[in-house]
Amino acid sequence: MLQFDVSNALPFLPDNWLSSRLDGLTESRNLLEKGTGLGGGFTGWVRLPENYDQQELSRLLHTAKIIQSQSEVLVVIGIGGSYLGARAMLEMLTSPNYNLLCKKTPQIFFTGNTLSPDTLTELLDYVRNKDFSVNVISKSGSTTEPSIAFLLFRQLLEEKYGRDGARDRIFVTTDRHEGTLRQLANQEGYATFSIPNNIGGRYSVLTPAGLLPLAVAGLRVKEILAGAADAMVRLRTPGQDNPAWQYAAARNALYESGKPIEILACYEPSFRFFGEWWKQLFGESEGKEGLGVFPASVEFTADLHSMGQYIQEGTRNLFETVVRFVVPLSSCLLDPTPGDLSGLDFLRGKDLRFVNEQARKGTALAHVDGGVPNLLLSVDERTPYWAGQLVYFFEYACGLSGYLLGLNPFNQPGVEAYKENMFALLGKPGHEAHRDALLSR
Amino acid sequence: MLQFDVSNALPFLPDNWLSSRLDGLTESRNLLEKGTGLGGGFTGWVRLPENYDQQELSRLLHTAKIIQSQSEVLVVIGIGGSYLGARAMLEMLTSPNYNLLCKKTPQIFFTGNTLSPDTLTELLDYVRNKDFSVNVISKSGSTTEPSIAFLLFRQLLEEKYGRDGARDRIFVTTDRHEGTLRQLANQEGYATFSIPNNIGGRYSVLTPAGLLPLAVAGLRVKEILAGAADAMVRLRTPGQDNPAWQYAAARNALYESGKPIEILACYEPSFRFFGEWWKQLFGESEGKEGLGVFPASVEFTADLHSMGQYIQEGTRNLFETVVRFVVPLSSCLLDPTPGDLSGLDFLRGKDLRFVNEQARKGTALAHVDGGVPNLLLSVDERTPYWAGQLVYFFEYACGLSGYLLGLNPFNQPGVEAYKENMFALLGKPGHEAHRDALLSR
């Protein structure tokens, strides 16, 4: 069962940390239910697990099998919410070494998220002599980075397989009706999947944007959705026992008490990229109007030997949230030779499961003693079902949290600023005046 | 040439940001020169590039060839400074996909930095049927995570190759005289390399701790050292033109002006893990006594679509430092079909090199407009020589910066806290009283 434990943060919280926020949480919850808050047009993710288009899901699973059968490599093209969710879930549920370990399913590379010629040519060269397919993911179809990557990989596909052959290897995930990518797909006859227009990029991992690559990797996407659906039923139910209410309230109270940095930690290395997904979710939802908790992430115990010193004794402006998988998938018994020089005699007969868990407990207490509030979110196992619960938990808590701050959690107006400057500097038509202004600086 | 550009931070700095710190920098520099400051016993890295033990270096390069010839995989066992530097340089100078791309050199995996049974058993299973060697790196030899990994991989080696065969596949990097790992190596007759006792873990990337794995990957380690040596000559020369002085002064001034978060950014995805190395370097050196800039890192342009919103418009408590490689290694010309739906007509005939650089320029201006000071560090190319310059630059600036804060930049007292708790919870002899105290909480 998904459990949220605030006990190691209580010494840092006022008594009324939750009670004083119940009205705000009730209001926030109602805004999410009715879609009447700021950005309410982008709350389609709230009911997504119960509204899932079963016909599209069947087609998605069938398409995944086609991609598997015809591809050594799947190139996923997307940026931001159009790749972080899929990559986070893929690595968390398999391994950061998926591409080295996969045997029956294609390797999966995420690109379209860089303008580096070194990185793009590396991947182009890698797939040149392999059978590959492309899944291009972009709601608008007009974002520069994925557009460039799609141009390059589509040219390579057409070179290798001809225009007709390429058509069978291009899979488009985009808006149902609008945008240049939809237009192109219609024109060329590419297979398409839809991102509902009431779901924004960082909330799209449970749409085909996330699920198609995950299905290609052989992950049981129906179980991911089942986990999300069960979390949905629980988290939409109002009340102070609601773990998403508690998390949103606790982090809001910690932020207001002078802790503007939150560190997400996990004791499983495969969780690393989930931290990147979480950073977008919260950073992009709350980082506006001069507000918002700064989201950072660490991998424990590795980073106890890098960021651990700072967390223990640095500027006291942070709190941490730990995600725990209660039962690891593997076990590993330690069996040092009695009296050897390993210094591990005291661990003979113990399982690494136990050792890792004691590290977590010991660290939480050390950090509390050092002045760092510690929040703990536990799910049973590192499996698709529980991953679905985790995703929905963070999405829902983030919606509540943004409304508690009085913000629109569903827009990202600041992302335009660099694009506008970049277009001007690149000489894109229509940006001439802005270009002159920039060049004169 | 390594260049530091503070111009996009000047609007946020007082006029005397540098002049008022020249005395402090002069004093800090003298402490580093003479080793008379706090932690002065750990300043061996300052002169390392000119004091390098050439005989050991020859032996290291020879050993790398032996490892290459006998191994499909090199398992590097280390935590914190005993792996971050090597992994950072390996990925930066080759690719995060090194293990997929390497053809003539062994795959390299970094472990000994986790207690996860899932992660350790995954790697044990992966190498079980491959020819592999182990490089175990630990100054003391008594850190739990690498000790456990070494136990497991040594048991596997002895199972596969017998005790004599295993002996030829174990390479130990540790203190010259002290510690259990040195003792074990002497007893078993393992080949060893030394980490000088006046160099701490996070400053050890230019010792065999970093250089042996890098040499196994086929990287030209002599060029890395040559870059570091040239940077050393320049950065040890006092003066306000010294880029390390400028960086240390600027970040100190920004910290004092209410910006406790620094984000390290780069427009090359292969730089990602260098950010992790940098986070340890600065976080562990400065994060103590309730002080220190919180170090975070991002990959651009990818993270402009995740953390970009927060950086542009969130809580105004951060500044960013961008590392730029002036000339990319590859080029990639864009050639969209005229009038197609890609929306990239305006980029026809342009190289991605140019596009990526305009993104960097446009982003810097956007962030400045959003209230984020932007520091820029440029080196010519993403090559071993310039990587050596980068490493020395950050090490030297970090030493200066720690002394400017009035701290000991070379200790890490806070790292013990979690270990003590963990040992107590694991029932390690000698920790009984502490165990009882923890269990009663």
Side-chain angles (χ1 to χ4, degrees), chain A residues 79-80 84 95 97 99-101 107 109 113-122 126 143 145 147-148 151 155 180 183-184 187 255 260-261 263 267-269 272-273 276 279-280 283-284 287-296 301-302 304-307 309-310 312-315 317 328-331 334-336 341 344 346-347 350 352 354-356 358-359 361-363 365-366 369 382 412-415 417-419 421-422 425-426 428-429 438 441, chain B residues 79-80 83-84 95 97 99-101 107 109 113-122 126 143 145 147-148 151-152 155 180 183-184 187 255 260-261 263 267-269 272-273 276 279-280 283-284 287-296 301-302 304-307 309-310 312-315 317 328-331 334-336 341 344 346 350 352 354-356 358-359 361-363 365-366 369 382 412-415 417-419 421-422 425-426 428-429 438 441:
Chain A
I79 195 166
L84 282 169
S95 159
N97 294 317
N99 279 342
L100 285 163
L101 301 172
Q107 293 182 324
F109 290 88
N113 51 17
T114 184
L115 296 169
S116 159
D118 295 359
T119 298
L120 278 159
T121 55
E122 175 185 299
Y126 185 79
T143 307
E145 289 87 342
S147 293
I148 286 175
L151 172 73
Q155 285 175 339
T180 53
Q183 213 180 326
L184 179 70
Q187 176 185 299
Y255 175 63
I261 300 173
I263 300 178
Y267 287 75
E268 288 298 336
R272 178 183 286 271
F273 233 82
E276 299 299 318
K279 278 151 73 172
Q280 180 190 11
E284 203 169 51
K288 51 196 72 159
E289 301 181 29
L291 298 174
V293 176
F294 182 87
T301 62
L304 291 171
H305 292 253
S306 62
M307 287 297 291
Q309 168 64 37
Y310 190 102
Q312 190 69 43
E313 298 186 343
T315 307
N317 57 359
L329 301 178
S330 310
S331 67
L334 297 176
D335 186 22
L341 285 168
L344 300 175
F346 72 106
L347 295 179
K350 296 207 162 70
L352 267 183
F354 173 74
V355 181
N356 205 18
Q358 302 319 305
K361 284 184 187 169
T363 302
L365 295 173
D369 290 344
R382 188 162 59 84
Q412 50 284 332
V415 179
Y418 99 89
K419 294 187 198 170
N421 285 358
M422 177 176 72
L425 293 172
L426 287 170
K428 189 173 183 179
L438 288 181
R441 280 171 72 167
Chain B
I79 194 166
Y83 91 100
L84 282 169
S95 159
N97 293 317
N99 280 342
L100 285 163
L101 301 172
Q107 293 182 326
F109 290 88
N113 51 18
T114 184
L115 296 170
S116 159
D118 295 358
T119 298
L120 277 158
T121 55
E122 174 185 299
Y126 184 78
T143 307
E145 289 87 343
S147 293
I148 286 175
L151 172 73
L152 296 169
Q155 285 175 340
T180 53
Q183 212 180 327
L184 179 70
Q187 177 186 299
Y255 175 64
I261 300 173
I263 300 178
Y267 288 74
E268 289 297 337
R272 178 183 285 271
F273 234 82
E276 298 299 318
K279 279 152 71 172
Q280 180 190 12
E284 203 169 51
K288 51 196 72 161
E289 301 181 28
L291 299 173
V293 177
F294 183 87
T301 60
L304 290 171
H305 293 253
S306 62
M307 287 297 291
Q309 168 64 37
Y310 191 101
Q312 190 69 42
E313 298 187 342
T315 307
N317 58 359
L329 300 178
S330 311
S331 67
L334 297 176
D335 186 24
L341 284 168
L344 299 175
F346 70 107
K350 296 206 164 70
L352 267 184
F354 174 75
V355 180
N356 204 18
Q358 302 319 304
K361 285 184 185 169
T363 302
L365 295 173
D369 290 344
R382 189 163 58 85
Q412 50 283 332
V415 178
Y418 99 88
K419 293 187 197 170
N421 286 358
M422 177 176 74
L425 292 172
L426 287 170
K428 189 174 183 179
L438 289 181
R441 282 172 70 169

Side-chain angles (χ1 to χ4, degrees), chain B residues 32 45 202-203 244 247-248 251 278 280-286 392-404 409-410:
Chain B
L32 291 178
W45 56 270
R202 61 187 174 276
Y203 281 85
Y247 178 52
R251 63 194 299 285
W278 173 89
Q280 180 190 12
L281 181 66
F282 279 88
E284 203 169 51
S285 298
E286 299 189 333
Y392 195 90
F393 172 84
F394 281 119
E395 288 183 350
Y396 197 82
C398 186
L400 292 175
S401 187
Y403 280 144
L404 276 186
F410 306 113

Side-chain angles (χ1 to χ4, degrees), chain A residues 155-307:
Chain A
Q155 285 175 339
L156 180 58
L157 277 176
E158 294 186 347
E159 202 176 284
K160 269 176 79 98
Y161 302 103
R163 196 157 163 189
D164 285 341
R167 181 174 295 124
D168 296 334
R169 293 176 172 274
I170 292 174
F171 303 86
V172 171
T173 306
T174 188
D175 186 85
R176 192 175 303 272
H177 304 292
E178 296 181 353
T180 53
L181 194 52
R182 169 59 61 184
Q183 213 180 326
L184 179 70
N186 290 345
Q187 176 185 299
E188 298 288 324
Y190 299 144
T192 65
F193 294 90
S194 299
I195 307 172
N197 62 3
N198 58 357
I199 297 180
R202 61 186 173 277
Y203 282 86
S204 70
V205 56
L206 301 179
T207 75
L211 298 187
L212 181 57
L214 295 175
V216 172
L219 289 165
R220 300 181 302 272
V221 301
K222 285 188 176 176
E223 294 181 22
I224 296 174
L225 290 171
D230 285 350
M232 178 193 72
V233 171
R234 181 162 169 217
L235 300 178
R236 285 173 64 196
T237 306
Q240 56 186 1
D241 295 334
N242 184 315
W245 283 38
Q246 293 178 1
Y247 179 51
R251 63 195 299 286
N252 186 263
L254 291 166
Y255 175 63
E256 289 191 357
S257 75
K259 308 242 177 246
I261 300 173
E262 178 177 10
I263 300 178
L264 190 75
C266 184
Y267 287 75
E268 288 298 336
S270 62
F271 188 80
R272 178 183 286 271
F273 233 82
F274 197 89
E276 299 299 318
W277 172 80
W278 173 89
K279 278 151 73 172
Q280 180 190 11
L281 181 66
F282 279 88
E284 203 169 51
S285 296
E286 299 189 333
K288 51 196 72 159
E289 301 181 29
L291 298 174
V293 176
F294 182 87
S297 61
V298 290
E299 173 191 322
F300 286 162
T301 62
D303 292 343
L304 291 171
H305 292 253
S306 62
M307 287 297 291

